[in-house]
Amino acid sequence: MFGIERKNMAFYLGAIFIFVVLKFLYSNFNTAELFVLLKPTTVFIDVLTGAESIYMEDKGFFYESLNIIINKSCSGYHFLGLCFVMLSFLSIKYFDSNLQKTMILVFAFLGAYIITIFVNSSRIIASLFFQKNLFHATDNLQGIVHESIGLITNLSFLILTYLIVEKILIHKKNNAKLT
């Protein structure tokens, strides 16, 4: 079926199920429930910009000096889900035992979380840079620039992550055969 090994089907379906549950949960989350993604991101933003944020429970993290709010839409939640599925699908085929494949789902989620914090912080910093230094335009154009930067950043990091992880897994597989 679509070139997917039958022995791995349950794990691929498990990853898809987790992704769908995450997507459903997001629609019911507010900013406070995404604190686990937003707070680490703001720590990076604080360090990289020298600005300080104030947490406002109903709005998110407000940066007065930057005139921005990092809220639910800035959490990187969708990237987390996509990265998790990508890492899961990429990795499952390189492991043999069901325990290893189950652990892959756990490690794929943890890896996706760490990558999401880094990528999300990078995306926000890039957006701040472009909007502050290169664009003094209408609000409509700034919104397009902001979304474009998000799309380009997220896609670039997803591709880069895929290539790096695939190279590591292939190297692991080739070295395992030699021993």
Side-chain angles (χ1 to χ4, degrees):
M1 179 177 174
F2 305 110
I4 296 175
E5 294 180 19
R6 187 170 283 240
K7 66 180 182 175
N8 294 331
M9 187 60 69
F11 297 99
Y12 293 128
L13 291 174
I16 291 169
F17 176 77
I18 292 167
F19 176 77
V20 169
V21 168
L22 288 173
K23 292 294 276 183
F24 174 76
L25 289 174
Y26 180 77
S27 63
N28 296 312
F29 281 169
N30 60 36
T31 300
E33 292 166 321
L34 293 168
F35 192 84
V36 70
L37 284 170
L38 293 169
K39 180 59 179 173
T41 299
T42 61
V43 170
F44 277 105
I45 304 301
D46 292 353
V47 170
L48 294 172
T49 65
E52 290 185 31
S53 64
I54 299 168
Y55 180 67
M56 302 162 64
E57 192 164 328
D58 58 333
K59 295 193 187 320
F61 289 88
F62 175 63
Y63 286 88
E64 185 175 3
S65 63
L66 301 172
N67 195 29
I68 64 166
I69 293 177
I70 298 178
N71 60 16
K72 177 181 176 176
S73 67
C74 303
S75 68
Y77 191 86
H78 298 295
F79 181 88
L80 172 70
L82 287 173
C83 191
F84 163 72
V85 168
M86 180 194 70
L87 291 173
S88 297
F89 272 57
L90 175 62
S91 303
I92 287 169
K93 64 185 174 192
Y94 287 97
F95 293 88
D96 296 321
S97 78
N98 288 343
L99 177 60
Q100 289 173 325
K101 292 173 188 179
T102 302
M103 294 307 297
I104 283 301
L105 296 177
V106 173
F107 287 118
F109 190 82
L110 293 173
Y113 173 77
I114 293 166
I115 292 166
T116 298
I117 300 303
F118 175 76
V119 170
N120 204 31
S121 301
S122 300
R123 179 187 57 78
I124 292 169
I125 291 295
S127 187
L128 286 171
F129 174 80
F130 278 98
Q131 289 183 352
K132 180 180 178 187
N133 296 316
L134 300 179
F135 293 97
H136 299 287
T138 65
D139 288 338
N140 290 339
L141 184 56
Q142 285 184 350
I144 291 168
V145 169
H146 182 77
E147 288 183 25
S148 298
I149 290 168
L151 177 70
I152 292 166
T153 304
N154 287 353
L155 182 59
S156 298
F157 276 106
L158 275 174
I159 292 168
L160 185 62
T161 300
Y162 180 92
L163 294 173
I164 290 169
V165 171
E166 183 179 47
K167 188 171 183 98
I168 290 168
L169 291 170
I170 288 170
H171 180 71
K172 176 213 163 286
K173 184 178 180 179
N174 290 339
N175 285 340
K177 287 181 180 178
L178 296 175
T179 57

